[in-house]
Amino acid sequence: MALLHEGSSRGRTQTGWLDSRHTFSFGAFHDPGRMGHRSLRVMNEDRVIPGAGFPSHDHEHMEILTYVVFGALAHRDSLGNGSTIRAGDIQRMSAGSGITHSEMNASAEEPVHFLQIWVLPERRDLAPSYEQTAFDPAQSANRFAAIAAPGGGPGRVRLHQDASLLLARLEDGREAAYSFAPGRAGFLQVVSGRIEIAGETLSAGDGLQFEGQDLGDGATCAVTARSDCEVLLFDLA
């Protein structure tokens, strides 16, 4: 059966500069029942105060996606990449056999609000790599559009895993639908606003974990906006 991850039930890390909510086990938050879903391992919603952030640290064997909701995030890594990630961008960092990076609020005046998502790669010891692209807002207006996928492409980054991340930005009252192939699974995250799905109302911060068959005939995920909203949807092998 589908599993609702209420926003208020997530783990939480609070410091003087960071407020982070964890859908799945992460850091000091450990729940054996929340270890991820298929290849989706981490779904963190982070807010960082002006001028602060994550100093240089190491990662390996993970596909890391960053999606900025508000503000701007400055990225630096051991491959020599330096960039600013803003709302309307999607970033993918393949940690692979090992990478060091930092993520800092790019503003000294405004907070930054972003989602950081970890996906298990198709295999270990990939060569570390980095990709960032802007997507066309019109592509996700009142419908689901891929912003990360195995093959990459215009307006999307390449994931080294049989998984796709889709975005929909819906106006109040509009509907978007996406059908899953047999054997696939999904995870839906409400970034902002309120939606209705299968008779249930979900609000910003809520997530829905499901297998394709949980959606009934046609395995279609149909979302209706109950306010202007922003929704992320994973299609997982």
Side-chain angles (χ1 to χ4, degrees), residues 149-171:
R156 64 185 71 172
V157 294
R158 179 189 178 192
L159 270 180
H160 296 94
Q161 177 56 270
D162 185 5
S164 297
L165 173 60
L166 303 103
L167 167 69
R169 289 171 167 164
L170 306 178
E171 298 169 334

Side-chain angles (χ1 to χ4, degrees), residues 19-93:
D19 187 358
S20 182
R21 304 297 181 108
H22 317 302
T23 297
F24 301 114
S25 292
F26 185 86
F29 170 62
H30 182 75
D31 181 341
R34 291 190 175 195
M35 296 303 296
H37 182 47
R38 300 279 185 108
S39 60
L40 177 59
R41 177 58 188 85
V42 166
M43 176 74 72
N44 288 348
E45 183 175 7
D46 295 343
R47 290 174 171 85
V48 175
I49 66 171
F54 300 90
S56 188
H57 58 284
D58 299 330
H59 289 288
E60 61 181 12
H61 310 307
M62 199 66 67
E63 298 284 280
I64 300 174
L65 296 170
T66 301
Y67 179 84
V68 174
V69 181
F70 173 84
L73 195 66
H75 168 92
R76 300 289 183 273
D77 65 43
S78 54
L79 300 178
N81 296 301
S83 65
T84 301
I85 314 161
R86 306 181 188 276
D89 294 339
I90 181 73
Q91 178 211 63
R92 184 266 305 160
M93 185 178 74

